[in-house]
Amino acid sequence: MMGWGANSDQQEWRKGPWTPEEDKLLSEYVNLHGEGRWSSVASCAGLNRTGKSCRLRWVNYLRPGLKRGHITPQEEGIIIELHALWGNKWSTIARYLPGRTDNEIKNYWRTHFKKKEKASLKQDKRKVLRQKNQLQQNGTTKFSPQAEEVTIKSDGNDNENQDMVEFNYHPSMDQEPVVELPPVTTSSDISYAWTDNFPMDGLWGGLWNLDDHSQASDKCKVAIRNQPATASCSYATDYAVNLYNGGFLI
DNA sequence: AAACTCTCCAACCGCCCCGAG
DNA sequence: GCTCGGGGCGGTTGGAGAGTT
């Protein structure tokens, strides 16, 4: 692709850390012309940077209103909850955290939560093997998530051998949800279209396709990795949060 | 004090989407 | 409908500084 300021002269674009002078040039350009047209920044502002690099610098560092400093506990809570719903949709999550960039959230998540997952993997692994055997012996299993802890899968590897389970649950204000577990399957047993729509993120547990409280659907699909399900809930969204709580936060 | 590890975060890369022509 | 460039996004890398052994 020839975009982002590349040109036919095979110009050597500057890379690496931005200097204060470059920041000044970029800020002046954006203040004058507004955001967008990044590919023309190089020629107009006298910056030897690709448009892509300019955009990133502006969005993640120079843009007014950006917060500095550590993520607050409140922000962390929001991140956790939204990640439970959307997975690695960092830009989407960032929209709910004014002043924070997707890059910042992404970095925060990786440094703070990836390691938690690793630490829990060994512990999970033992549970998984035991409970997986039980499930396979019983065939389709009904259980109350409040009454029984179920771990579906732990392989200690981010991308291999993901197991997923389809939960049928029946939202009701008055009764505990009943979750029907088919025999534990591998990802290859699940509809490929579904895994396409809801790619796993390789972190704690991907929770996808969660029904809104207002929706009448009695079924939600949950993909779980390395995740003890200890939730008690009436709705899928509650379930998502509880999965997290049951897994690592409490 | 030195070596090592961890954390933070800026920046780059590759891929994808979308709109214009 | 197709191509292409602009723009956006998620994944990854690497350096700097802090903390630990």
Side-chain angles (χ1 to χ4, degrees):
Chain A
M1 180 190 296
M2 292 295 287
W4 295 110
N7 62 27
S8 56
D9 297 326
Q10 298 295 310
Q11 176 174 353
E12 286 294 319
W13 297 103
R14 214 181 104 70
K15 290 184 180 180
W18 281 65
T19 65
E21 289 74 24
E22 288 177 314
D23 283 345
K24 186 165 175 283
L25 286 172
L26 180 57
S27 294
E28 285 173 355
Y29 176 86
V30 175
N31 289 332
L32 210 61
H33 298 92
E35 296 185 34
R37 299 168 179 259
W38 296 111
S39 58
S40 63
V41 171
S43 55
C44 295
L47 279 166
N48 191 26
R49 295 274 188 173
T50 65
K52 200 170 187 173
S53 180
C54 291
R55 176 189 161 271
L56 211 61
R57 181 64 176 174
W58 174 259
V59 167
N60 288 333
Y61 195 81
L62 297 175
R63 190 170 55 183
L66 292 179
K67 281 185 188 174
R68 301 288 176 203
H70 292 106
I71 301 282
T72 66
Q74 288 76 17
E75 288 173 322
E76 181 182 293
I78 293 170
I79 292 170
I80 290 165
E81 193 161 342
L82 295 182
H83 187 274
L85 294 172
W86 296 325
N88 296 2
K89 301 292 181 186
W90 306 118
S91 59
T92 308
I93 293 171
R95 290 188 196 115
Y96 290 81
L97 293 166
R100 301 294 186 185
T101 68
D102 55 351
N103 209 31
E104 199 173 7
I105 295 167
K106 180 170 58 182
N107 285 332
Y108 183 78
W109 181 271
R110 290 182 69 84
T111 53
H112 284 79
F113 298 121
K114 276 295 267 186
K115 65 180 179 185
K116 287 187 183 179
E117 180 197 29
K118 278 186 179 177
S120 68
L121 286 179
K122 287 181 182 176
Q123 190 180 347
D124 288 348
K125 201 165 186 172
R126 287 191 290 274
K127 290 181 187 173
V128 170
L129 292 174
R130 189 175 66 247
Q131 290 166 346
K132 193 171 178 175
N133 286 337
Q134 286 176 352
L135 288 167
Q136 284 173 329
Q137 284 171 8
N138 296 339
T140 296
T141 305
K142 290 190 176 184
F143 77 104
S144 159
Q146 185 178 36
E148 185 170 354
E149 182 184 73
V150 174
T151 304
I152 305 305
K153 174 63 188 169
S154 175
D155 55 33
N157 199 319
D158 275 355
N159 296 315
E160 295 175 2
N161 304 320
Q162 265 173 186
D163 284 2
M164 288 187 280
V165 173
E166 181 176 327
F167 290 82
N168 295 317
Y169 90 112
H170 310 282
S172 162
M173 293 299 288
D174 301 316
Q175 67 186 65
E176 285 293 318
V178 175
V179 180
E180 296 180 10
L181 285 179
V184 172
T185 60
T186 64
S187 55
S188 60
D189 294 324
I190 304 294
S191 138
Y192 197 72
W194 183 69
T195 57
D196 264 349
N197 289 337
F198 303 98
M200 295 306 299
D201 62 8
L203 297 177
W204 294 354
L207 279 293
W208 312 98
N209 198 23
L210 299 172
D211 298 312
D212 186 84
H213 283 205
S214 62
Q215 290 183 292
S217 169
D218 64 351
K219 185 176 183 180
C220 72
K221 289 180 176 176
V222 181
I224 292 180
R225 278 178 58 76
N226 312 320
Q227 180 61 60
T230 56
S232 169
C233 58
S234 297
Y235 298 99
T237 45
D238 297 336
Y239 198 78
V241 172
N242 284 331
L243 280 172
Y244 276 82
N245 292 341
F248 300 100
L249 291 183
I250 291 176

